[in-house]
Amino acid sequence: MTRPASETPYVLVLFYSRNGATREMAEQLAAGVESISGIAARLRTVPPVSTTCEAVDPEIPAEGAVYATLEDLRHCYGLALGSPTRFGNMASPLKYFLDTTSELWMNGVLADKPATAFTSTASLHGGQEATLLTMLIPLLHHGMVYAGVPYRETRLLTTQSGGTPYGTSHLAGAQADRPLDDDETTLARAQGERLGRLALAMRSLHEAT
């Protein structure tokens, strides 16, 4: 795969956030990635999906991360997907973007790259694990190597809010106003650190393709 010689390897942290909680998780995970020397984090989001076909959003959001392109995905060394839950599944804007990646899938562009997922829900049992597991499916179809959160992260055993071995999760509350607590922040950063290390360790598997 051809990349600009001067480009720093990066992990793509791709997320959709309605009320800000998933964005906060993405920022913590990105900080974990960037704690690893030699790799950067690239934060990208996706536009909302409208039921009105004439609705058009600006090409660049007014604030926050810019919208992802297929080129962001093509050249990443690892991928973290983040979404709030929608009935135990990822939100439709993120699914819509993933549905446009068939060209990358047909050419095996993402094969042998590490990937992970994270989510936020209004209630503690609001579908966190189901959402993470359904987000895993397109990653496997792309041939990516899934990396969850191992139990050496002992906060998985003590957290009273978010945190799963399938990926970091967050309890946002019914009004989406509960900030990330210490356990959730620590696990998100650990997840990012792990993904950054794996992205560097696995780079030789796909750089030559």
Side-chain angles (χ1 to χ4, degrees), residues 85-170:
T85 187
R86 294 292 184 268
F87 302 107
N89 209 327
M90 75 180 84
S92 57
L94 187 60
K95 177 64 164 56
Y96 182 87
F97 177 81
L98 293 175
D99 285 346
T100 70
T101 63
S102 58
E103 174 199 345
L104 305 184
W105 165 72
M106 290 177 66
N107 291 287
V109 170
L110 297 177
D112 298 328
K113 296 180 181 182
T116 198
F118 56 99
T119 190
S120 177
T121 60
S123 60
L124 186 57
H125 301 288
Q128 293 183 351
E129 293 180 351
T131 300
L132 293 167
L133 289 170
T134 54
M135 291 171 75
L136 164 62
I137 294 171
L139 303 177
L140 292 177
H141 275 264
H142 273 288
M144 304 193 82
V145 181
Y146 193 77
V149 181
Y151 270 93
R152 69 179 177 221
E153 303 301 332
T154 56
R155 289 180 187 245
L156 285 178
L157 296 168
T158 59
T159 178
Q160 298 295 305
S161 51
T164 85
Y166 311 111
T168 303
S169 59
H170 166 56

Side-chain angles (χ1 to χ4, degrees), residues 37-56:
S37 177
I39 194 155
R42 181 175 292 186
L43 279 166
R44 293 291 185 269
T45 189
V46 294
V49 174
S50 175
T51 56
T52 304
C53 61
E54 291 83 5
V56 177

